[in-house]
Each structure stands twice: as C-alpha cells, then as structure tokens.
C-alpha cells in the first residue's frame, strides 16, 4: 500500500483535476489523503437562506462528502484565507510566505510517510494565484520532506485549445494559450474512465458551487455520461521527480 497526498487550493478543485486518480488509487487499496490550503470561503455561493451557515463551513462539508465518495482516508485544511475569485484578497493564501507554508505541508508529508504528492503545474492550471501558490508550496514541501514522487496535475493545453475552438467567438479564452501544459511535456496520461461516475459524484458534492445554470460545475455534471467520460476519462500529470 502506498500513501498518496493530493494538495489543492480550494474545495471542488480536487473534483475537477484529480478525482479520477484519487478514486482509482483508493479502489486499488492505497491510502489517499486530501489536503486543501483554504476552505474556499470567498468562492461562489448559492442564494443564502436566512440564518444560513458561513460559506467556508458549507464548502468544507461538501469537501468531506466529495472525499467520502472518492474513498479518501483523511481530509485536512491548512486554514489559509481564500484569495477570492480574482486571487487578490488581502491576506489570502496567494500572498502567504512560502517557507512556513511548505514546512506545515512537509510535516503532513512526513507524518503520513507519503510516497506521492500532487500539486498543480507552474502555471497554476488556469493561473489563479492560489493555484500558483499550491505549486510553489507543494514543490518546496516535497523537497523538505523527501517525498519521492511529485506529480503536477494539469490539462493538455493542445487538446483543450482544439476542443474549445468553437467557443472563442463568445468566451474570452485567449489566456488559455498560456494555461496548463503543452501536450509534449505531459508525462502521465492516466485512464480513469472506470471512475467517471465517481468523479461526477465528487463534482455533485459541491452543490454550493453548482447552483447557477452557467457555473462550470453545474454544466459539467449535467453532461451525458458518454460525453462526460470522453471529456474527463483521462487525467494529465507531469512528473517533477
């Protein structure tokens, strides 16, 4: 049995990029640990009812449910402030000093005797500052802890640009030319088609982020399963070490 630690910025990030591999590893008998830097308290929120709970608490409950559906063994939140949708909120994770944050994550890696750590690519995927910070902190933590394998969760930029060509007239997708990772640099394409239903269930757990018709999670989780499997049946990683 191996111990695999998945490091993400906010609740729901795990469902989009790494849920298939998490479910696969858990099903194969490995220990899967999910760590988020923030509770996502500055994210999108569903229309609030009187007396409703703070969004951060709601999103952590959603994260724990997502983790349960994926078969995770432990969920940890480092407790940093969410930097907001634009990544500019004062005092957020994106502006936290890297060294202390890396030391905290390294302690977790050592306590768990982790064999594998996943972070984001150096672009932070689509460039959110909290995601870029996950890359910086995670890479530094792995060095401190001596974690033998570090994988950068990403997407195939070439494939993404090809499939989104029809949308460029209506959506601002020019920044995607610098997002994620060129196909030639990807080292691992992981087949997770068997776990597509579990991955979609993990997305569905994040109901506060899928309550609007145009929100990404709302759209993605309504895709017919054959189309969902085609879109999300492979996950992409770059091995750093």
């Amino acid at each position: 049995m191996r111990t695999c630690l998945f490091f993400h910025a906010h609740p729901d990030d795990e469902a989009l990029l790494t849920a298939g591999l998490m479910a696969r590893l858990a099903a194969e008998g490995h220990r899967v640990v999910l760590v988020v830097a923030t509770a996502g308290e500055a994210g999108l929120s569903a229309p609030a009812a009187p007396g409703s709970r703070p969004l951060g608490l709601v999103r952590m409950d959603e994260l724990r449910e997502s983790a349960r559906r994926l078969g995770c063994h432990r969920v940890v939140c480092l407790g940093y402030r969410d930097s907001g949708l634009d990544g500019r909120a004062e005092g957020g994770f994106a502006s936290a000093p890297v060294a202390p944050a890396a030391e905290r994550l390294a302690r977790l890696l050592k306590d768990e005797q982790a064999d594998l750590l996943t972070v984001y690519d150096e672009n932070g995927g689509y460039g959110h500052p909290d995601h870029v910070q996950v890359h910086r902190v995670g890479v530094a933590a792995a060095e401190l802890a001596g974690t033998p394998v570090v994988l950068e969760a990403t997407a195939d930029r070439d494939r993404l640009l090809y499939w989104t060509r029809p949308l460029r007239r209506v959506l601002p997708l020019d920044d995607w030319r610098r997002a994620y990772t060129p196909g030639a640099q990807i080292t691992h394409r992981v087949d997770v088609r068997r776990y597509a239903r579990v991955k979609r269930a993990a997305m569905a757990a994040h109901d506060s982020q899928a309550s609007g018709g145009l929100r990404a999670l709302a759209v993605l989780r309504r895709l017919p399963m054959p189309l969902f499997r085609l879109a999300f049946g492979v996950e992409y990683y770059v091995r750093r070490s």
Side-chain angles (χ1 to χ4, degrees):
M1 183 183 78
R2 304 289 186 182
T3 297
C4 308
L5 194 150
F6 290 77
F7 184 33
H8 287 280
H10 318 100
D12 83 18
D13 291 332
E14 85 294 340
L16 290 165
L17 272 183
T18 64
L21 180 57
M22 295 167 74
R24 176 174 168 175
L25 289 170
E28 292 174 354
H30 301 291
R31 178 172 173 81
V32 177
V33 178
L34 173 57
V35 179
V36 290
T38 82
E41 68 277 6
L44 297 167
S45 61
S52 60
R53 300 164 64 220
L55 181 59
L57 296 181
V58 172
R59 295 196 70 185
M60 283 304 300
D61 281 349
E62 292 172 346
L63 181 73
R64 284 185 280 269
E65 177 58 21
S66 170
R68 185 193 69 78
R69 295 177 184 185
L70 294 172
C72 296
H73 299 83
R74 183 183 180 189
V75 177
V76 178
C77 179
L78 297 183
Y80 288 95
R81 288 185 60 188
D82 184 353
S83 298
L85 296 176
D86 62 1
R88 297 177 182 176
E90 185 176 353
F93 178 59
S95 60
V98 170
E103 289 172 3
R104 291 182 63 189
L105 183 60
R107 284 196 294 272
L108 271 173
L109 290 166
K110 290 177 181 178
D111 289 346
E112 288 286 350
Q113 299 181 19
D115 303 285
L116 165 71
L117 171 68
T118 73
V119 296
Y120 305 132
D121 59 42
E122 62 184 7
N123 297 316
Y126 62 90
H128 190 289
D130 278 347
H131 290 223
V132 175
Q133 185 78 325
V134 162
H135 173 84
R136 294 170 180 157
V137 170
V139 168
E143 292 178 359
L144 289 171
T147 304
V149 178
V150 178
L151 294 179
E152 298 176 355
T154 188
D156 185 329
R157 181 194 296 168
D158 304 327
R159 185 171 181 264
L160 191 63
L161 290 173
Y162 175 81
W163 286 108
T164 57
R165 282 185 304 173
L167 301 176
R168 287 182 205 156
R169 293 181 180 179
V170 294
L171 293 177
L173 300 179
D174 288 345
D175 288 348
W176 287 19
R177 296 182 184 277
R178 299 181 295 276
Y180 298 105
T181 304
Q185 296 178 20
I186 290 171
T187 60
H188 292 66
R189 291 171 169 81
V190 182
D191 185 346
V192 295
R193 287 174 294 178
R194 286 185 60 190
Y195 305 95
R197 292 188 183 277
V198 181
K199 182 165 183 167
R200 190 161 72 172
M203 290 184 182
H206 296 281
D207 194 56
S208 69
Q209 304 303 291
S211 299
L214 293 178
R215 294 183 182 183
L217 281 177
V219 173
L220 296 176
R221 74 185 196 179
R222 288 199 298 263
L223 290 174
M225 182 50 66
L227 187 56
F228 185 92
R229 191 175 286 113
L230 177 65
F232 294 101
V234 176
E235 291 179 351
Y236 301 90
Y237 298 88
V238 177
R239 180 166 179 168
R240 285 190 62 89
S241 61

